[in-house]
Short mmCIF file of all heavy atoms in Angstrom, two decimals:
data_model
loop_
_atom_site.label_atom_id
_atom_site.label_comp_id
_atom_site.label_asym_id
_atom_site.label_seq_id
_atom_site.Cartn_x
_atom_site.Cartn_y
_atom_site.Cartn_z
N MET A 1 17.61 119.85 58.65
CA MET A 1 18.23 119.10 57.58
C MET A 1 19.40 119.87 56.98
O MET A 1 20.43 119.27 56.68
CB MET A 1 17.15 118.80 56.53
CG MET A 1 17.62 117.88 55.46
SD MET A 1 17.59 116.21 56.07
CE MET A 1 17.88 115.34 54.59
N ALA A 2 19.26 121.16 56.82
CA ALA A 2 20.32 121.97 56.24
C ALA A 2 21.53 121.99 57.16
O ALA A 2 22.67 121.98 56.69
CB ALA A 2 19.81 123.38 55.96
N MET A 3 21.29 122.02 58.44
CA MET A 3 22.39 122.03 59.41
C MET A 3 23.16 120.71 59.35
O MET A 3 24.38 120.71 59.43
CB MET A 3 21.84 122.27 60.82
CG MET A 3 22.91 122.41 61.83
SD MET A 3 23.91 123.84 61.44
CE MET A 3 24.09 124.53 63.02
N THR A 4 22.47 119.60 59.18
CA THR A 4 23.10 118.30 59.09
C THR A 4 24.00 118.24 57.86
O THR A 4 25.10 117.69 57.90
CB THR A 4 22.03 117.19 59.02
OG1 THR A 4 21.15 117.32 60.13
CG2 THR A 4 22.66 115.82 59.05
N ARG A 5 23.54 118.79 56.75
CA ARG A 5 24.36 118.80 55.53
C ARG A 5 25.61 119.66 55.71
O ARG A 5 26.68 119.29 55.24
CB ARG A 5 23.54 119.33 54.35
CG ARG A 5 22.56 118.34 53.84
CD ARG A 5 21.92 118.82 52.59
NE ARG A 5 20.98 117.84 52.11
CZ ARG A 5 20.33 117.92 50.99
NH1 ARG A 5 20.52 118.96 50.21
NH2 ARG A 5 19.50 116.99 50.63
N LYS A 6 25.47 120.78 56.38
CA LYS A 6 26.64 121.65 56.61
C LYS A 6 27.67 120.93 57.50
O LYS A 6 28.86 120.97 57.22
CB LYS A 6 26.20 122.96 57.27
CG LYS A 6 25.49 123.89 56.33
CD LYS A 6 25.11 125.17 57.02
CE LYS A 6 24.32 126.05 56.08
NZ LYS A 6 23.91 127.30 56.74
N ILE A 7 27.18 120.30 58.54
CA ILE A 7 28.10 119.57 59.42
C ILE A 7 28.76 118.43 58.66
O ILE A 7 29.96 118.20 58.77
CB ILE A 7 27.35 119.05 60.67
CG1 ILE A 7 26.92 120.22 61.55
CG2 ILE A 7 28.22 118.07 61.47
CD1 ILE A 7 26.04 119.84 62.72
N GLY A 8 27.98 117.71 57.86
CA GLY A 8 28.53 116.62 57.05
C GLY A 8 29.57 117.13 56.07
O GLY A 8 30.62 116.50 55.87
N ALA A 9 29.32 118.28 55.45
CA ALA A 9 30.27 118.85 54.50
C ALA A 9 31.57 119.23 55.21
O ALA A 9 32.67 119.01 54.67
CB ALA A 9 29.66 120.06 53.82
N VAL A 10 31.46 119.78 56.40
CA VAL A 10 32.67 120.16 57.16
C VAL A 10 33.45 118.92 57.55
O VAL A 10 34.67 118.87 57.41
CB VAL A 10 32.28 120.99 58.41
CG1 VAL A 10 33.46 121.15 59.35
CG2 VAL A 10 31.72 122.34 58.00
N ILE A 11 32.75 117.90 58.00
CA ILE A 11 33.42 116.67 58.42
C ILE A 11 34.11 116.00 57.23
O ILE A 11 35.23 115.51 57.35
CB ILE A 11 32.42 115.70 59.10
CG1 ILE A 11 32.00 116.27 60.45
CG2 ILE A 11 33.01 114.31 59.26
CD1 ILE A 11 30.89 115.51 61.14
N LEU A 12 33.47 115.98 56.09
CA LEU A 12 34.05 115.35 54.90
C LEU A 12 35.20 116.16 54.30
O LEU A 12 36.13 115.62 53.73
CB LEU A 12 32.98 115.10 53.84
CG LEU A 12 31.95 114.03 54.19
CD1 LEU A 12 30.88 113.97 53.11
CD2 LEU A 12 32.60 112.68 54.36
N SER A 13 35.14 117.48 54.42
CA SER A 13 36.19 118.31 53.82
C SER A 13 37.39 118.48 54.74
O SER A 13 38.49 118.81 54.27
CB SER A 13 35.63 119.67 53.43
OG SER A 13 35.19 120.37 54.58
N ALA A 14 37.25 118.25 56.02
CA ALA A 14 38.36 118.44 56.96
C ALA A 14 39.57 117.58 56.62
O ALA A 14 40.70 118.09 56.59
CB ALA A 14 37.89 118.20 58.39
N PRO A 15 39.41 116.27 56.34
CA PRO A 15 40.60 115.47 56.00
C PRO A 15 41.30 115.96 54.73
O PRO A 15 42.52 115.90 54.63
CB PRO A 15 40.04 114.06 55.80
CG PRO A 15 38.76 114.03 56.53
CD PRO A 15 38.22 115.42 56.48
N LEU A 16 40.52 116.45 53.78
CA LEU A 16 41.13 116.96 52.55
C LEU A 16 41.97 118.20 52.83
O LEU A 16 43.07 118.35 52.31
CB LEU A 16 40.05 117.28 51.51
CG LEU A 16 39.24 116.08 51.00
CD1 LEU A 16 38.10 116.55 50.11
CD2 LEU A 16 40.14 115.13 50.25
N LEU A 17 41.44 119.08 53.65
CA LEU A 17 42.18 120.30 53.98
C LEU A 17 43.42 119.97 54.81
O LEU A 17 44.50 120.51 54.56
CB LEU A 17 41.28 121.27 54.75
CG LEU A 17 40.12 121.85 53.95
CD1 LEU A 17 39.20 122.65 54.88
CD2 LEU A 17 40.62 122.71 52.81
N LEU A 18 43.28 119.10 55.78
CA LEU A 18 44.42 118.73 56.62
C LEU A 18 45.45 117.94 55.81
O LEU A 18 46.65 118.11 55.99
CB LEU A 18 43.96 117.92 57.82
CG LEU A 18 43.11 118.69 58.83
CD1 LEU A 18 42.59 117.74 59.90
CD2 LEU A 18 43.89 119.83 59.44
N GLY A 19 44.99 117.08 54.94
CA GLY A 19 45.90 116.30 54.10
C GLY A 19 46.70 117.19 53.17
O GLY A 19 47.88 116.96 52.93
N GLY A 20 46.10 118.22 52.66
CA GLY A 20 46.80 119.15 51.78
C GLY A 20 47.88 119.93 52.50
O GLY A 20 48.94 120.20 51.95
N THR A 21 47.66 120.27 53.74
CA THR A 21 48.67 121.01 54.49
C THR A 21 49.78 120.09 54.99
O THR A 21 50.90 120.53 55.18
CB THR A 21 48.05 121.74 55.69
OG1 THR A 21 47.43 120.78 56.54
CG2 THR A 21 47.03 122.76 55.24
N ALA A 22 49.47 118.81 55.18
CA ALA A 22 50.48 117.88 55.68
C ALA A 22 51.49 117.51 54.59
O ALA A 22 52.59 117.07 54.89
CB ALA A 22 49.82 116.62 56.20
N CYS A 23 51.14 117.68 53.35
CA CYS A 23 52.00 117.28 52.24
C CYS A 23 52.66 118.49 51.58
O CYS A 23 52.68 118.59 50.35
CB CYS A 23 51.20 116.48 51.21
SG CYS A 23 50.62 114.91 51.86
N LYS A 24 53.16 119.38 52.38
CA LYS A 24 53.82 120.56 51.82
C LYS A 24 55.10 120.14 51.13
O LYS A 24 55.83 119.27 51.58
CB LYS A 24 54.13 121.56 52.92
CG LYS A 24 52.91 122.23 53.48
CD LYS A 24 53.29 123.29 54.48
CE LYS A 24 52.04 123.94 55.00
NZ LYS A 24 52.35 124.93 56.02
N ARG A 25 55.40 120.79 50.06
CA ARG A 25 56.61 120.52 49.30
C ARG A 25 57.69 121.52 49.71
O ARG A 25 57.39 122.64 50.07
CB ARG A 25 56.34 120.61 47.81
CG ARG A 25 55.34 119.55 47.38
CD ARG A 25 55.16 119.58 45.88
NE ARG A 25 54.26 118.54 45.44
CZ ARG A 25 54.63 117.31 45.14
NH1 ARG A 25 55.88 116.97 45.21
NH2 ARG A 25 53.75 116.43 44.74
N ASP A 26 58.92 121.09 49.64
CA ASP A 26 60.02 121.99 49.98
C ASP A 26 60.45 122.77 48.75
O ASP A 26 59.79 122.75 47.71
CB ASP A 26 61.19 121.21 50.60
CG ASP A 26 61.75 120.17 49.65
OD1 ASP A 26 61.36 120.11 48.48
OD2 ASP A 26 62.62 119.40 50.10
N ALA A 27 61.58 123.45 48.84
CA ALA A 27 62.06 124.29 47.75
C ALA A 27 62.37 123.48 46.49
O ALA A 27 62.28 123.99 45.38
CB ALA A 27 63.31 125.04 48.19
N ASP A 28 62.72 122.20 46.65
CA ASP A 28 63.01 121.34 45.50
C ASP A 28 61.76 120.74 44.89
O ASP A 28 61.84 120.00 43.92
CB ASP A 28 63.96 120.20 45.92
CG ASP A 28 65.31 120.72 46.38
OD1 ASP A 28 65.71 121.80 45.91
OD2 ASP A 28 65.95 120.04 47.19
N GLY A 29 60.61 120.99 45.49
CA GLY A 29 59.37 120.44 44.98
C GLY A 29 59.10 119.03 45.45
O GLY A 29 58.29 118.33 44.87
N GLU A 30 59.78 118.60 46.50
CA GLU A 30 59.59 117.26 47.04
C GLU A 30 58.69 117.30 48.25
O GLU A 30 58.80 118.18 49.10
CB GLU A 30 60.93 116.64 47.44
CG GLU A 30 61.85 116.36 46.30
CD GLU A 30 63.14 115.74 46.76
OE1 GLU A 30 63.45 115.79 47.96
OE2 GLU A 30 63.85 115.20 45.90
N GLY A 31 57.83 116.32 48.35
CA GLY A 31 56.98 116.17 49.52
C GLY A 31 57.61 115.20 50.50
O GLY A 31 58.66 114.62 50.23
N PRO A 32 56.97 114.99 51.64
CA PRO A 32 57.53 114.10 52.65
C PRO A 32 57.67 112.66 52.18
O PRO A 32 58.64 111.99 52.52
CB PRO A 32 56.56 114.21 53.83
CG PRO A 32 55.39 114.96 53.34
CD PRO A 32 55.75 115.64 52.08
N ALA A 33 56.74 112.18 51.38
CA ALA A 33 56.83 110.80 50.90
C ALA A 33 58.01 110.64 49.95
O ALA A 33 58.70 109.62 49.97
CB ALA A 33 55.54 110.40 50.21
N GLU A 34 58.26 111.64 49.13
CA GLU A 34 59.40 111.57 48.21
C GLU A 34 60.72 111.59 48.97
O GLU A 34 61.64 110.84 48.64
CB GLU A 34 59.34 112.73 47.22
CG GLU A 34 58.20 112.60 46.23
CD GLU A 34 57.98 113.87 45.43
OE1 GLU A 34 57.92 114.95 46.03
OE2 GLU A 34 57.87 113.75 44.20
N ARG A 35 60.80 112.41 49.99
CA ARG A 35 62.02 112.46 50.81
C ARG A 35 62.23 111.13 51.52
O ARG A 35 63.34 110.61 51.58
CB ARG A 35 61.96 113.62 51.80
CG ARG A 35 62.15 114.98 51.16
CD ARG A 35 62.33 116.08 52.19
NE ARG A 35 61.19 116.25 53.07
CZ ARG A 35 60.12 116.99 52.80
NH1 ARG A 35 60.04 117.64 51.66
NH2 ARG A 35 59.13 117.09 53.66
N ALA A 36 61.16 110.58 52.07
CA ALA A 36 61.26 109.29 52.76
C ALA A 36 61.68 108.20 51.77
O ALA A 36 62.51 107.35 52.10
CB ALA A 36 59.93 108.93 53.41
N GLY A 37 61.14 108.25 50.57
CA GLY A 37 61.51 107.26 49.55
C GLY A 37 62.98 107.35 49.19
O GLY A 37 63.65 106.32 49.02
N LYS A 38 63.50 108.56 49.09
CA LYS A 38 64.92 108.73 48.78
C LYS A 38 65.79 108.19 49.92
O LYS A 38 66.83 107.59 49.68
CB LYS A 38 65.24 110.20 48.52
CG LYS A 38 64.78 110.66 47.15
CD LYS A 38 65.23 112.07 46.87
CE LYS A 38 64.80 112.48 45.48
NZ LYS A 38 65.27 113.82 45.13
N GLN A 39 65.37 108.42 51.15
CA GLN A 39 66.14 107.92 52.29
C GLN A 39 66.13 106.39 52.30
O GLN A 39 67.15 105.76 52.58
CB GLN A 39 65.58 108.45 53.60
CG GLN A 39 65.86 109.92 53.81
CD GLN A 39 65.24 110.44 55.10
OE1 GLN A 39 64.37 109.82 55.69
NE2 GLN A 39 65.69 111.61 55.53
N ILE A 40 64.99 105.81 51.97
CA ILE A 40 64.92 104.34 51.90
C ILE A 40 65.83 103.83 50.79
O ILE A 40 66.56 102.85 50.98
CB ILE A 40 63.47 103.89 51.68
CG1 ILE A 40 62.64 104.17 52.94
CG2 ILE A 40 63.39 102.41 51.30
CD1 ILE A 40 61.15 104.00 52.75
N ASP A 41 65.80 104.49 49.65
CA ASP A 41 66.67 104.09 48.54
C ASP A 41 68.14 104.13 48.94
O ASP A 41 68.91 103.22 48.64
CB ASP A 41 66.45 104.99 47.32
CG ASP A 41 65.11 104.76 46.64
OD1 ASP A 41 64.48 103.72 46.92
OD2 ASP A 41 64.69 105.61 45.84
N ARG A 42 68.53 105.21 49.62
CA ARG A 42 69.93 105.33 50.07
C ARG A 42 70.28 104.23 51.04
O ARG A 42 71.37 103.65 51.00
CB ARG A 42 70.17 106.69 50.70
CG ARG A 42 70.42 107.78 49.69
CD ARG A 42 70.86 109.08 50.37
NE ARG A 42 69.93 110.11 49.92
CZ ARG A 42 69.14 110.85 50.68
NH1 ARG A 42 69.20 110.75 51.99
NH2 ARG A 42 68.31 111.73 50.17
N GLY A 43 69.36 103.93 51.96
CA GLY A 43 69.61 102.87 52.94
C GLY A 43 69.77 101.51 52.29
O GLY A 43 70.66 100.74 52.64
N VAL A 44 68.93 101.22 51.32
CA VAL A 44 69.02 99.94 50.61
C VAL A 44 70.33 99.88 49.82
O VAL A 44 71.00 98.84 49.78
CB VAL A 44 67.80 99.76 49.68
CG1 VAL A 44 67.99 98.59 48.73
CG2 VAL A 44 66.54 99.57 50.51
N GLU A 45 70.71 100.99 49.21
CA GLU A 45 71.96 101.03 48.44
C GLU A 45 73.16 100.78 49.34
O GLU A 45 74.05 99.99 49.02
CB GLU A 45 72.10 102.38 47.75
CG GLU A 45 73.28 102.47 46.81
CD GLU A 45 73.34 103.81 46.09
OE1 GLU A 45 72.29 104.32 45.68
OE2 GLU A 45 74.46 104.33 45.95
N ARG A 46 73.16 101.43 50.51
CA ARG A 46 74.27 101.22 51.46
C ARG A 46 74.31 99.78 51.95
O ARG A 46 75.39 99.19 52.09
CB ARG A 46 74.13 102.18 52.63
CG ARG A 46 74.45 103.60 52.28
CD ARG A 46 74.34 104.50 53.49
NE ARG A 46 74.42 105.89 53.09
CZ ARG A 46 73.75 106.86 53.67
NH1 ARG A 46 72.96 106.60 54.69
NH2 ARG A 46 73.87 108.10 53.25
N ALA A 47 73.14 99.23 52.23
CA ALA A 47 73.10 97.84 52.70
C ALA A 47 73.63 96.90 51.62
O ALA A 47 74.35 95.95 51.92
CB ALA A 47 71.67 97.47 53.09
N GLY A 48 73.28 97.18 50.37
CA GLY A 48 73.79 96.36 49.27
C GLY A 48 75.29 96.45 49.15
O GLY A 48 75.97 95.44 48.91
N GLU A 49 75.84 97.65 49.33
CA GLU A 49 77.29 97.82 49.27
C GLU A 49 77.97 97.04 50.39
O GLU A 49 78.98 96.36 50.17
CB GLU A 49 77.65 99.30 49.37
CG GLU A 49 77.28 100.10 48.14
CD GLU A 49 77.46 101.60 48.34
OE1 GLU A 49 77.86 102.03 49.45
OE2 GLU A 49 77.19 102.34 47.38
N GLN A 50 77.41 97.13 51.59
CA GLN A 50 77.99 96.42 52.73
C GLN A 50 77.90 94.91 52.53
O GLN A 50 78.83 94.17 52.86
CB GLN A 50 77.28 96.83 54.03
CG GLN A 50 77.51 98.26 54.42
CD GLN A 50 78.97 98.58 54.65
OE1 GLN A 50 79.70 97.79 55.23
NE2 GLN A 50 79.41 99.73 54.19
N LEU A 51 76.79 94.45 51.99
CA LEU A 51 76.64 93.02 51.72
C LEU A 51 77.66 92.56 50.68
O LEU A 51 78.28 91.51 50.83
CB LEU A 51 75.23 92.71 51.24
CG LEU A 51 74.91 91.26 50.92
CD1 LEU A 51 75.11 90.39 52.15
CD2 LEU A 51 73.50 91.13 50.40
N GLY A 52 77.86 93.37 49.65
CA GLY A 52 78.85 93.04 48.62
C GLY A 52 80.25 92.93 49.21
O GLY A 52 81.00 91.99 48.89
N LYS A 53 80.60 93.87 50.09
CA LYS A 53 81.92 93.83 50.73
C LYS A 53 82.06 92.58 51.60
O LYS A 53 83.10 91.93 51.60
CB LYS A 53 82.13 95.08 51.58
CG LYS A 53 82.33 96.34 50.76
CD LYS A 53 82.47 97.55 51.67
CE LYS A 53 82.57 98.84 50.87
NZ LYS A 53 82.63 100.02 51.75
N ALA A 54 81.01 92.27 52.34
CA ALA A 54 81.06 91.09 53.22
C ALA A 54 81.19 89.81 52.40
O ALA A 54 81.96 88.91 52.76
CB ALA A 54 79.81 91.03 54.09
N LEU A 55 80.47 89.73 51.29
CA LEU A 55 80.58 88.55 50.44
C LEU A 55 81.96 88.42 49.82
O LEU A 55 82.51 87.33 49.68
CB LEU A 55 79.51 88.59 49.34
CG LEU A 55 78.08 88.36 49.79
CD1 LEU A 55 77.11 88.60 48.65
CD2 LEU A 55 77.91 86.96 50.35
N GLU A 56 82.53 89.56 49.47
CA GLU A 56 83.88 89.56 48.90
C GLU A 56 84.89 89.04 49.92
O GLU A 56 85.73 88.20 49.62
CB GLU A 56 84.25 90.96 48.44
CG GLU A 56 85.55 91.04 47.68
CD GLU A 56 85.84 92.44 47.17
OE1 GLU A 56 84.90 93.11 46.69
OE2 GLU A 56 87.01 92.86 47.28
N ARG A 57 84.77 89.55 51.16
CA ARG A 57 85.68 89.08 52.22
C ARG A 57 85.48 87.59 52.49
O ARG A 57 86.43 86.85 52.70
CB ARG A 57 85.47 89.90 53.49
CG ARG A 57 86.02 91.31 53.42
CD ARG A 57 86.01 91.96 54.79
NE ARG A 57 84.68 92.06 55.36
CZ ARG A 57 83.88 93.11 55.28
NH1 ARG A 57 84.27 94.19 54.63
NH2 ARG A 57 82.69 93.10 55.84
N GLY A 58 84.22 87.16 52.48
CA GLY A 58 83.93 85.75 52.70
C GLY A 58 84.49 84.89 51.58
O GLY A 58 85.01 83.79 51.83
N GLY A 59 84.41 85.37 50.35
CA GLY A 59 84.97 84.63 49.22
C GLY A 59 86.48 84.50 49.33
O GLY A 59 87.05 83.44 49.04
N GLU A 60 87.13 85.58 49.74
CA GLU A 60 88.59 85.54 49.92
C GLU A 60 88.97 84.56 51.02
O GLU A 60 89.94 83.80 50.88
CB GLU A 60 89.11 86.94 50.23
CG GLU A 60 89.02 87.90 49.05
CD GLU A 60 89.32 89.34 49.43
OE1 GLU A 60 89.61 89.62 50.62
OE2 GLU A 60 89.25 90.19 48.53
N ALA A 61 88.21 84.57 52.11
CA ALA A 61 88.50 83.65 53.21
C ALA A 61 88.28 82.20 52.77
O ALA A 61 89.07 81.31 53.11
CB ALA A 61 87.62 83.97 54.42
N ALA A 62 87.25 81.96 51.98
CA ALA A 62 86.99 80.60 51.49
C ALA A 62 88.10 80.15 50.55
O ALA A 62 88.52 78.99 50.57
CB ALA A 62 85.63 80.55 50.79
N LYS A 63 88.60 81.06 49.74
CA LYS A 63 89.68 80.73 48.81
C LYS A 63 90.95 80.35 49.58
O LYS A 63 91.60 79.36 49.28
CB LYS A 63 89.95 81.91 47.90
CG LYS A 63 90.99 81.65 46.84
CD LYS A 63 91.17 82.87 45.95
CE LYS A 63 92.26 82.63 44.93
NZ LYS A 63 92.48 83.80 44.07
N LYS A 64 91.26 81.13 50.62
CA LYS A 64 92.44 80.83 51.45
C LYS A 64 92.28 79.48 52.13
O LYS A 64 93.22 78.69 52.20
CB LYS A 64 92.65 81.92 52.50
CG LYS A 64 93.28 83.16 51.97
CD LYS A 64 93.55 84.14 53.11
CE LYS A 64 94.16 85.43 52.60
NZ LYS A 64 94.41 86.39 53.69
N ALA A 65 91.09 79.24 52.65
CA ALA A 65 90.85 77.96 53.33
C ALA A 65 91.00 76.80 52.35
O ALA A 65 91.57 75.76 52.69
CB ALA A 65 89.46 77.95 53.97
N GLY A 66 90.53 76.97 51.14
CA GLY A 66 90.67 75.93 50.12
C GLY A 66 92.12 75.68 49.77
O GLY A 66 92.54 74.53 49.61
N GLU A 67 92.90 76.73 49.66
CA GLU A 67 94.33 76.59 49.35
C GLU A 67 95.05 75.85 50.47
O GLU A 67 95.89 75.00 50.23
CB GLU A 67 94.95 77.98 49.12
CG GLU A 67 94.50 78.64 47.84
CD GLU A 67 94.96 80.09 47.73
OE1 GLU A 67 95.55 80.64 48.69
OE2 GLU A 67 94.70 80.70 46.67
N GLU A 68 94.70 76.18 51.72
CA GLU A 68 95.32 75.52 52.86
C GLU A 68 94.95 74.04 52.90
O GLU A 68 95.78 73.18 53.22
CB GLU A 68 94.93 76.21 54.16
CG GLU A 68 95.57 77.59 54.31
CD GLU A 68 95.14 78.30 55.59
OE1 GLU A 68 94.61 77.64 56.50
OE2 GLU A 68 95.32 79.53 55.64
N LEU A 69 93.69 73.72 52.56
CA LEU A 69 93.29 72.32 52.53
C LEU A 69 94.04 71.55 51.44
O LEU A 69 94.44 70.40 51.67
CB LEU A 69 91.78 72.22 52.28
CG LEU A 69 90.87 72.50 53.47
CD1 LEU A 69 89.42 72.52 53.03
CD2 LEU A 69 91.07 71.45 54.55
N GLN A 70 94.26 72.18 50.31
CA GLN A 70 95.00 71.53 49.24
C GLN A 70 96.44 71.27 49.66
O GLN A 70 97.01 70.22 49.37
CB GLN A 70 94.98 72.37 47.97
CG GLN A 70 93.67 72.29 47.22
CD GLN A 70 93.68 73.11 45.94
OE1 GLN A 70 94.48 74.04 45.79
NE2 GLN A 70 92.78 72.76 45.02
N LYS A 71 97.06 72.23 50.35
CA LYS A 71 98.43 72.05 50.84
C LYS A 71 98.49 70.88 51.82
O LYS A 71 99.43 70.07 51.75
CB LYS A 71 98.92 73.32 51.52
CG LYS A 71 99.25 74.45 50.58
CD LYS A 71 99.74 75.67 51.34
CE LYS A 71 99.94 76.86 50.43
NZ LYS A 71 100.35 78.06 51.18
N GLU A 72 97.53 70.83 52.74
CA GLU A 72 97.53 69.75 53.73
C GLU A 72 97.26 68.39 53.05
O GLU A 72 97.82 67.38 53.45
CB GLU A 72 96.48 70.02 54.81
CG GLU A 72 96.85 71.16 55.72
CD GLU A 72 98.09 70.89 56.55
OE1 GLU A 72 98.28 69.74 57.03
OE2 GLU A 72 98.91 71.82 56.71
N ALA A 73 96.42 68.38 52.07
CA ALA A 73 96.08 67.12 51.40
C ALA A 73 97.24 66.60 50.56
O ALA A 73 97.39 65.39 50.38
CB ALA A 73 94.84 67.31 50.53
N SER A 74 98.06 67.50 50.06
CA SER A 74 99.18 67.08 49.21
C SER A 74 100.39 66.61 50.00
O SER A 74 101.34 66.10 49.43
CB SER A 74 99.59 68.23 48.26
OG SER A 74 100.09 69.30 49.02
N LYS A 75 100.38 66.73 51.30
CA LYS A 75 101.51 66.31 52.15
C LYS A 75 101.57 64.82 52.28
O LYS A 75 100.81 64.01 52.23
CB LYS A 75 101.42 66.94 53.54
CG LYS A 75 101.78 68.38 53.52
CD LYS A 75 101.81 68.91 54.94
CE LYS A 75 102.19 70.38 54.94
NZ LYS A 75 102.22 70.92 56.28
#
């Protein structure tokens, strides 16, 4: 019975020990999840900027097309 408890304790404590070593922090005090979160944030920010630029270009093209339609309609 004592041997079973020791084995059970080792099995239950192994993930805790391995989990603690997997989440090492760097010199800035950031862990891997924090670094990944920052990279995701940067990616979303860049995508938003690109979407804004594309919408701006699309708006300009729509404005030009509207002006051309007005010119043709007034002829």
Side-chain angles (χ1 to χ4, degrees):
M1 187 79 170
M3 185 62 137
T4 305
R5 285 188 180 185
K6 287 181 183 179
I7 292 173
V10 169
I11 290 173
L12 291 175
S13 63
L16 296 173
L17 294 172
L18 293 174
T21 60
C23 294
K24 290 185 179 177
R25 297 184 177 272
D26 60 7
D28 296 333
E30 293 181 345
E34 290 169 312
R35 287 190 298 274
K38 283 186 178 183
Q39 288 178 344
I40 291 169
D41 289 344
R42 278 189 235 121
V44 168
E45 186 177 319
R46 287 182 190 145
E49 289 172 359
Q50 294 299 319
L51 180 60
K53 289 177 184 177
L55 289 173
E56 187 177 319
R57 287 191 300 265
E60 291 170 0
K63 184 178 177 181
K64 282 184 181 180
E67 289 172 355
E68 289 178 17
L69 282 173
Q70 283 181 339
K71 286 181 186 177
E72 290 295 321
S74 65
K75 286 186 179 179

